Amino acid sequence: KKTFQGPFKACHEVVKPQDFYRNCLYDVCMSDGAKTILCQVLEAYATTCKKNGAVVGDWRTPSGC
């Protein structure tokens, strides 16, 4: 998110990441840092991006999902 580079960069103009980011931050904090929550949010963002025609790179490897 900091540099808006990486596997989701083509999506940021199509689907704004801010709401996904805020929800992820809240959900991960409320679940004591559960990585499964992080992976679920990233998967939801990737799916939304693809449905809106954006190309999404490999996000699973760098995130460890």
Side-chain angles (χ1 to χ4, degrees):
K1 180 185 180 295
K2 288 181 183 178
T3 63
F4 287 100
Q5 295 299 312
F8 295 105
K9 68 181 174 183
C11 185
H12 293 318
E13 289 301 314
V14 178
V15 179
K16 300 295 183 198
Q18 287 81 1
D19 288 339
F20 284 89
Y21 178 75
R22 280 192 297 269
N23 291 338
C24 180
L25 193 60
Y26 178 82
D27 292 345
V28 170
C29 286
M30 292 304 291
S31 64
D32 293 324
K35 190 162 197 151
T36 56
I37 301 297
L38 170 66
C39 294
Q40 288 171 0
V41 173
L42 290 174
E43 185 168 6
Y45 187 58
T47 299
T48 302
C49 291
K50 290 175 187 176
K51 284 182 181 176
N52 284 281
V55 175
V56 176
D58 174 26
W59 59 270
R60 291 184 184 275
T61 301
S63 64
C65 294

